[in-house]
Amino acid sequence: LPARTATALRARPAPVTAALAAGFRVVVRSPPLARATLVSVVCCAAQGMLTACVPLLGARVLGGAGRGALLFSCAAVSALAANAVLAR
């Protein structure tokens, strides 16, 4: 093996906590990146809440938990329509 490859194989990867801390420092130093990260996190949390609530909403409003799939379908169709409208 070339010396550079052998050295790379022997090198230990940085601990996960160090990588997370470095990433956190980068996000904190850049306000636009911090805002984009916050929006992404909130959006992902909202998607999780929607997934948990749709069967309950289907049971309450449409008469059965299985009707939650209808709500998921409506959400998917509206997302496809929005993408089609906004696509350039």
Side-chain angles (χ1 to χ4, degrees):
L1 290 174
R4 203 167 68 185
T5 305
T7 304
L9 290 174
R10 287 192 303 263
R12 290 183 172 216
V16 173
T17 54
L20 286 173
F24 184 74
R25 283 191 297 271
V26 169
V27 170
V28 169
R29 288 184 195 145
S30 174
L33 183 58
R35 283 192 298 271
T37 302
L38 177 66
V39 169
S40 296
V41 168
V42 170
C43 188
C44 287
Q47 288 173 345
M49 287 188 286
L50 176 70
T51 303
C53 293
V54 161
L56 300 173
L57 187 61
R60 185 172 200 173
V61 175
L62 300 174
R67 301 285 179 137
L70 178 66
L71 294 176
F72 276 129
S73 297
C74 291
V77 167
S78 64
L80 285 171
N83 282 328
V85 168
L86 297 174
R88 293 181 185 194

